[in-house]
Amino acid sequence: MPYSKQPNSFQILSLLQWPLSYLAIFWVLQPLFILLLFTPLWPLPALYFIWLFLDWKTPEKGGRRSAWVRNWYIWTHIRDYFPIMILKTEDLSPERNYIMGVHPHGLLTFGAFCNFCTEATGFSKTFPGITPHLATLSWFFKIPLIRDYLMAKGVCSVSQPAINYLLSHGTGNLVGIVVGGVGEALQSVPNTTTLILQKRKGFVRTALQHGAHLVPTFTFGETEVYDQVVFNESSRMYKFQAFFRRIFGFYFCVFYGQGFHQGSLGILPYSRPIVTVVGEPLPLPKMEKPSQEMVDQYHALYMDALRKLFDKHKTNYGCSASQKLLFL
């Protein structure tokens, strides 16, 4: 895919604010909160921590989304940088709940973030009556301030209690799960379409328990926006990555994109199109205790639907006609 024009200053700031906001909250605001406990302003952090204690279970009970945050103008700069768009192939009825498989993970999941955690691509207009919840690592919701920032965008915990709550309270809820997880990030290199899905069946079991329909999605271009250094499994660096994951829950990936000047390398992603194609929902029956055979059956149907979705749209969004979707 060709590179687009060099990003403007607004787009650069928009892209950088995403990772930098987490770093700022984690390394600046949280230590500052603790330091304020030893100053005359101690009531401020004290009140927040009391409120945090009382609010601890909110991420597992639907969260606390903010339409104002989801509609921030800054998200449109991220959308236009690549650009990012969402393509609907079928309507989703607000009378049902859904589990959406998000594929592939990529490195920073720009497509899923922009399409489901913001209104930059017009999700609410595209799918009226549907409330999206993108699930992420549970430990993020144990970090003060970061948890509030994530919940404001409609992000939920990937824990079983959080997903069960959303699928059992009302209708029109769409829970997006990046099925390949952080392990799939190591597979994120350009010109590859490899998904970790073969043995990931928990989301199908949960969908059966709630009678939620399964929605396959594929984000074309997600793995094209960064180059990644892939290490041999016997190397020290790979072992360090595995160790890092055991401690923090995700891999320490070594990647690079374009720099601030034309033709240079740097931390900015390549400005290449990202398109999330949302497929037709797969109806599932509701059963309290689905057998393993039933789980396997609907898991196979889901993989088949995802493969057909990929094959139908691949030539429109940068893949060759011979490109195959591989499941690990």
Side-chain angles (χ1 to χ4, degrees):
M1 292 182 183
Y3 294 87
S4 65
K5 63 182 180 181
Q6 198 66 14
N8 60 47
S9 57
F10 286 109
Q11 291 173 329
I12 291 174
L13 290 173
S14 300
L15 288 163
L16 292 180
Q17 72 80 34
W18 186 1
L20 291 180
S21 62
Y22 290 97
L23 292 175
I25 291 173
F26 193 81
W27 295 109
V28 179
L29 291 183
Q30 290 194 92
L32 180 61
F33 256 48
I34 295 174
L35 289 174
L36 285 176
L37 288 170
F38 304 96
T39 72
L41 297 176
W42 66 268
L44 293 177
L47 287 172
Y48 176 81
F49 286 121
I50 292 172
W51 178 79
L52 178 65
F53 174 76
L54 298 174
D55 192 60
W56 192 251
K57 292 293 185 180
T58 297
E60 294 186 351
K61 295 184 177 181
R64 186 173 47 253
R65 66 200 299 116
S66 167
W68 175 65
V69 172
R70 287 175 57 85
N71 281 280
W72 279 353
Y73 186 65
I74 194 171
W75 310 135
T76 64
H77 289 294
I78 296 178
R79 176 199 66 196
D80 296 339
Y81 173 83
F82 292 97
I84 297 173
M85 65 173 288
I86 187 170
L87 175 66
K88 177 176 73 171
T89 62
E90 294 285 341
D91 290 330
L92 298 181
S93 170
E95 302 302 316
R96 291 225 163 253
N97 286 324
Y98 305 89
I99 289 182
M100 173 179 63
V102 178
H103 312 278
H105 183 289
L107 283 165
L108 295 179
T109 57
F110 285 110
F113 167 79
C114 198
N115 286 317
F116 306 124
C117 300
T118 82
E119 289 295 330
T121 57
F123 180 91
S124 294
K125 294 180 180 178
T126 305
F127 296 100
I130 302 297
T131 304
H133 306 266
L134 185 64
T136 190
L137 296 174
S138 300
W139 73 270
F140 280 134
F141 296 93
K142 303 182 187 303
I143 306 174
L145 300 179
I146 286 181
R147 67 193 294 277
D148 304 293
Y149 175 61
L150 289 174
M151 284 193 291
K153 293 187 291 187
V155 179
C156 70
S157 168
V158 77
S159 69
Q160 195 65 50
I163 296 174
N164 287 340
Y165 184 94
L166 290 169
L167 296 178
S168 59
H169 286 72
T171 59
N173 289 309
L174 175 72
V175 181
I177 300 177
V178 187
V179 182
V182 294
E184 205 169 78
L186 290 183
Q187 308 290 332
S188 181
V189 293
N191 301 314
T192 60
T193 48
T194 302
L195 304 179
I196 298 178
L197 181 60
Q198 198 78 42
K199 298 181 180 180
R200 302 289 174 94
K201 302 180 180 181
F203 72 106
V204 178
R205 183 179 299 277
T206 298
L208 284 166
Q209 290 170 339
H210 292 275
H213 290 191
L214 289 175
V215 180
T217 72
F218 193 89
T219 300
F220 292 92
E222 187 67 60
T223 60
E224 306 296 320
V225 297
Y226 277 116
D227 285 304
Q228 181 176 189
V229 180
V230 179
F231 299 96
N232 188 281
E233 292 187 11
S234 62
S235 67
R236 291 184 177 181
M237 188 60 195
Y238 183 87
K239 293 176 181 177
F240 169 75
Q241 289 177 313
F243 170 77
F244 189 92
R245 186 200 173 173
R246 288 195 296 271
I247 300 298
F248 295 101
F250 58 92
Y251 285 102
F252 181 89
C253 297
V254 180
F255 58 92
Y256 59 91
Q258 66 183 16
F260 297 103
H261 303 290
Q262 190 71 38
S264 63
L265 298 179
I267 60 174
L268 295 177
Y270 301 124
S271 48
R272 297 169 176 171
I274 295 176
V275 181
T276 298
V277 182
V278 181
E280 179 182 358
L282 175 65
L284 270 68
K286 183 177 182 179
M287 49 187 66
E288 185 177 348
K289 296 181 179 179
S291 65
Q292 188 59 51
E293 290 76 17
M294 188 66 70
V295 172
D296 292 342
Q297 175 187 338
Y298 281 98
H299 182 261
L301 290 173
Y302 176 83
M303 288 197 300
D304 185 58
L306 180 60
R307 182 181 286 108
K308 288 179 179 177
L309 182 72
F310 173 80
D311 288 340
K312 182 178 180 179
H313 297 276
K314 61 185 178 183
T315 56
N316 295 329
Y317 301 112
C319 296
S320 66
S322 60
Q323 187 109 13
K324 301 295 183 182
L325 189 61
L326 303 178
F327 298 134
L328 298 180

